[in-house]
Amino acid sequence: MTERETRCLAEKAAVAARRGAGLGRLIRIEMSKLARSHLFWAGFVLLAGFALLVLLGFKTSNFNALQRTLNKLGRGIDHKPFINGLLYSAWSMGLGHSLLAPLFVTVLFAWQLAGEAKEGTLRSMLLRPISRLQIFAAKFIAVYFFVLVLLVFQYGLCLMIGHFGLGQEGVGLVVFGKTFFNDEAHRPWLMGRDLALERMALGCVLGCLSLAPLAAFSYLLSALLENPVVAILTGFSVYIASVLLAEVPFFTELRPYLFTTYTSFWKGVFYPEIDWAGMWPAARMCGLFAAAFLGIGAAVFRWRDIRT
Amino acid sequence: MPPDLLLRTENLAKRYGRRTAVDGISIEVRRGDIFGFLGPNGAGKTTTIRMILGLIRPSAGRVELLGYEMPAGRRRALVRVGAIVDTPAFYGALSARANLELFAALAGGATRAQVDQAIRRVGLAGREGDPVRAYSYGMRQRLGLAQALLPDPELILLDEPSLGLDPRGMKEMRDLILDLNRTEGLTICLSSHLLAEVQQVCNRIAIIDRGRLRFQGEVGRLLEQRPTWRLRATPADTARAVVEEFVAGGCGGGERAAAGGDGPGPTPGAGAVRGEDGALLLELAAEAIPEVNARLVARGVRVYEITPLSATLEDVFLKLTDEPAGAGAR
């Protein structure tokens, strides 16, 4: 390598380092904005409220479905020891992932660019010497990290509430039904306490990753639309329509093209043996959908006129 | 681009479908100028400023900001540019100081002393800890200016800086702009539809109407180039005919370049003749007056009075913006 080539490489590395440092600084700024916003604390309060609601449900339910499940495992098994903190935590997590997290993710990501555009702060940001792509990337990364923090918080909170509210008596976690399995007909099984904690932690992280296509789609809408309310409603509508379409038998041909078809891969952690090879295609499809939505969103944001 | 030019646009245009918002605007802002961008509401001022700052992509034409082609060079150019576009927008839950620090951080960061100085400069000292949502409109305008001053701009673009301010606030804003220009040597480009503000503050202006540039140059020369004269003479009909012949003969003295505008082309409306209270009002260059007088006398007209009337920017502005689109200077 000649001296000139070496110098050229060094200059390129310096430029890349500066850009990296710029992105890092932007991510920190976005995180500090999030941490100081009402939305941040509202997320924690909503999750805590949801956890308490599920606890209330646990306290008042007669658990007929659980008893029927245990009857399949063997006659005379009483369901009461299984109504423990582990079952509560896993149920809260599962429900939270299926119901609450999509709602949260849609609102958070659809708000980011459209909300700031509507309030004029996006314009103020773009009057500063930073690239639009860096803003686009920094916001996405910061909010995604925030979603991960929320899910980890939910995981910890549910374990704590479960432990103190219902106790963990050592019989483990009975895994059954649609909350845990993608195929409802899967045979229920009993997971040991330590394994359950480990699998739930893994489910928390993979569940967060499975939200990437919805996050990217909502973010694309945010880049495309100037009204955050329209972006959020459109995001919800598309998500719900995709979920419903996937359930309709004569739309089976359509399923491979819907991102919601692939987003439950994280439930694979609740099977007796984790089938990584079986989970990978769905995870990869999630990644591809997310990358496509982000690519289109970045292009739109880069070329869009800021008229608000 | 010459080093004393901080901003130059060439035939800048923006079209939205069939509607043309800005049509071929070419302006130049020189170092040390307080440049006024004047036009009625909806004339295209904000769209032009947004194109200059890279918020909107032009349909045609080019922008050079501090020597960098926009929008390709916006990251380099905006390092030394502060701006308020439309209403200054901030994070309402954060304090003024936190907002200033945050936006300055996006431009590489400002020291605490710089932030303090900007706050003092715009008269918000003592209120910098309050959340911005508690700020009045006028305070937000000041905060917007403080934000534009950070970290260290050479050029400041202000879009309607006095909009929504009370008379005292407007005066303070004018004083502040003059002070920044005089004491810190900042070049300032401001848009406004308030003629008095522009006349009091700016040394050079551009007048834009219906997306087209109608004039660009020094305020004083704009006023000089469109002087109105009152002529009292008898018989009035003959006097009018003489003057109209003079004007029709292309002797109106309205050559734009000679009269003070920066660009080529005739001055719109030069040589116009109107009647008022038994007198004639003539728009002629001062150099044309002796010749008009000589012709009047030669035709037997008795001239009692030819008096210059002092034009205001408002007069000139209204004349320029009343004229049909396309008649203005380009």
Side-chain angles (χ1 to χ4, degrees):
Chain A
M1 195 182 281
T2 64
E3 190 184 333
R4 192 178 164 190
E5 283 170 336
T6 312
R7 203 167 53 237
C8 187
L9 267 180
E11 278 171 12
K12 279 183 182 172
V15 169
R18 274 203 301 277
R19 281 187 185 153
L23 183 62
R25 193 181 69 234
L26 269 179
I27 292 170
R28 281 198 301 278
I29 289 171
E30 286 300 324
M31 282 181 177
S32 100
K33 272 160 57 180
L34 269 174
R36 287 187 273 188
S37 74
H38 295 307
L39 208 60
F40 184 76
W41 300 108
F44 290 108
V45 171
L46 197 65
L47 282 179
F50 181 74
L52 291 174
L53 194 69
V54 177
L55 181 67
L56 186 69
F58 256 67
K59 292 279 189 189
T60 54
S61 171
N62 53 17
F63 291 98
N64 288 336
L66 178 61
Q67 187 60 62
R68 280 198 299 276
T69 302
L70 292 172
N71 290 343
K72 286 180 197 168
L73 291 175
R75 287 198 168 276
I77 302 176
D78 182 20
H79 71 272
K80 281 185 185 141
F82 295 94
I83 312 300
N84 57 22
L86 285 176
L87 185 66
Y88 162 79
S89 307
W91 261 75
S92 295
M93 267 185 62
L95 284 176
H97 256 49
S98 309
L99 300 175
L100 212 55
L103 181 137
F104 244 91
V105 162
T106 308
V107 172
L108 275 171
F109 283 92
W111 176 266
Q112 284 310 305
L113 297 169
E116 289 224 32
K118 185 170 181 285
E119 290 182 352
T121 45
L122 183 65
R123 183 184 66 230
S124 300
M125 283 183 83
L126 291 175
L127 293 175
R128 302 273 120 183
I130 38 175
S131 85
R132 290 192 181 196
L133 287 182
Q134 278 192 336
I135 292 178
F136 187 85
K139 277 185 174 293
F140 188 83
I141 293 167
V143 178
Y144 213 100
F145 181 75
F146 173 48
V147 170
L148 180 64
V149 168
L150 276 179
L151 293 180
V152 169
F153 166 76
Q154 188 204 16
Y155 176 64
L157 183 72
C158 289
L159 282 179
M160 200 177 72
I161 291 177
H163 181 74
F164 291 109
L166 296 157
Q168 293 180 4
E169 294 169 21
V171 288
L173 170 67
V174 59
V175 186
F176 70 103
K178 207 177 175 182
T179 309
F180 299 106
F181 297 131
N182 285 320
D183 48 338
E184 274 186 89
H186 193 279
R187 186 178 157 75
W189 69 291
L190 195 61
M191 198 189 278
R193 180 180 174 277
D194 291 346
L195 184 63
L197 290 174
E198 187 186 299
R199 292 287 183 90
M200 280 196 284
L202 193 57
C204 180
V205 175
L206 291 181
C208 185
L209 293 178
S210 74
L211 293 167
L214 179 60
F217 180 70
S218 304
Y219 202 49
L220 161 63
L221 291 175
S222 192
L224 203 60
L225 302 167
E226 287 177 349
N227 187 330
V229 178
V230 176
I232 289 168
L233 290 179
T234 310
F236 273 143
S237 309
V238 170
Y239 177 72
I240 291 166
S242 302
V243 170
L244 293 179
L245 278 178
E247 297 294 320
V248 178
F250 43 84
F251 281 134
T252 46
E253 298 296 317
L254 211 60
R255 278 185 200 165
Y257 304 104
L258 303 173
F259 68 83
T260 46
T261 305
Y262 308 99
T263 50
S264 328
F265 73 88
W266 63 276
K267 289 186 180 178
V269 300
F270 289 112
Y271 287 78
E273 292 294 326
I274 298 178
D275 179 13
W276 291 108
M279 285 164 70
W280 170 242
R284 191 181 54 199
M285 285 306 291
C286 280
L288 287 175
F289 268 107
F293 291 143
L294 281 178
I296 298 167
V300 167
F301 185 62
R302 191 173 176 208
W303 291 98
R304 173 181 144 183
D305 283 348
I306 305 297
R307 293 159 67 182
T308 50
Chain B
M1 190 160 92
D4 70 323
L5 273 188
L6 296 190
L7 166 65
R8 177 160 70 185
T9 72
E10 280 178 22
N11 296 317
L12 199 60
K14 182 67 184 178
R15 287 181 284 277
Y16 296 105
R18 287 183 178 177
R19 190 175 71 85
T20 301
V22 174
D23 189 6
I25 287 192
S26 302
I27 57 169
E28 289 182 347
V29 177
R30 297 166 191 158
R31 192 179 296 279
D33 272 350
I34 301 183
F35 187 90
F37 202 42
L38 194 60
N41 292 329
K45 303 185 295 288
T46 300
T47 304
T48 305
I49 287 182
R50 282 175 189 253
M51 284 193 282
I52 289 169
L53 291 164
L55 292 173
I56 289 180
R57 285 177 186 273
S59 306
R62 55 197 289 263
V63 177
E64 272 183 82
L65 186 60
L66 269 63
Y68 297 103
E69 191 90 22
M70 295 291 278
R74 63 175 283 279
R75 285 180 68 187
R76 288 178 186 167
L78 292 182
V79 170
R80 304 303 303 276
V81 175
I84 302 178
V85 178
D86 225 320
T87 313
F90 297 98
Y91 297 100
L94 305 186
S95 68
R97 175 181 288 282
N99 268 289
L100 291 180
E101 286 170 350
L102 192 147
F103 283 112
L106 293 173
T111 62
R112 192 175 173 82
Q114 281 177 307
V115 175
D116 286 339
Q117 194 193 1
I119 288 169
R120 273 199 306 276
R121 191 97 225 203
V122 299
L124 287 176
R127 300 294 305 272
E128 70 269 30
D130 296 355
V132 173
R133 65 167 167 257
Y135 271 30
S136 67
Y137 192 90
M139 289 166 80
R140 281 173 193 243
Q141 286 287 81
R142 287 158 182 260
L143 188 60
L145 187 55
Q147 183 211 313
L149 290 172
L150 291 170
D152 186 22
E154 252 181 274
L155 169 69
I156 295 183
L157 283 107
L158 306 172
D159 185 16
E160 302 275 5
S162 299
L163 196 69
L165 297 183
D166 59 24
R168 181 183 293 275
M170 287 165 76
K171 184 180 182 311
E172 285 171 0
M173 182 63 84
R174 279 199 303 270
D175 292 346
L176 189 56
I177 288 169
L178 285 168
D179 191 44
L180 286 169
N181 176 259
R182 284 171 190 159
T183 61
E184 296 187 19
L186 283 178
T187 304
I188 294 165
C189 175
L190 63 91
S191 80
S192 181
H193 65 277
L194 301 173
L195 301 161
E197 175 178 79
V198 170
Q199 192 162 9
Q200 288 175 58
V201 171
C202 301
N203 63 318
R204 291 181 67 244
I205 61 168
I207 295 178
I208 178 175
D209 180 40
R210 282 161 282 184
R212 305 188 82 168
L213 187 67
R214 313 304 300 263
F215 171 83
Q216 180 180 197
E218 289 171 16
V219 179
R221 297 186 76 181
L222 173 69
L223 299 179
E224 281 169 17
Q225 76 159 54
R226 305 288 301 256
T228 301
W229 305 81
R230 184 168 54 225
L231 167 66
R232 289 187 191 280
T234 54
D237 291 348
T238 312
R240 184 176 193 117
V242 169
V243 176
E244 282 175 350
E245 276 169 27
F246 180 81
V247 170
C251 307
E255 289 307 312
R256 175 173 175 74
D262 291 345
T267 303
V273 182
R274 290 175 282 140
E276 187 187 87
D277 296 338
L280 290 175
L281 296 181
L282 318 177
E283 282 176 30
L284 294 171
E287 302 80 44
I289 294 301
E291 178 62 23
V292 169
N293 187 41
R295 289 194 188 190
L296 288 167
V297 172
R299 293 276 291 272
V301 175
R302 294 170 71 87
V303 177
Y304 293 97
E305 177 191 1
I306 301 181
T307 316
L309 301 177
S310 58
T312 63
L313 186 56
E314 184 175 78
D315 296 330
V316 180
F317 177 81
L318 290 174
K319 278 175 203 162
L320 284 173
T321 55
D322 277 348
E323 286 160 8
R330 292 287 305 275

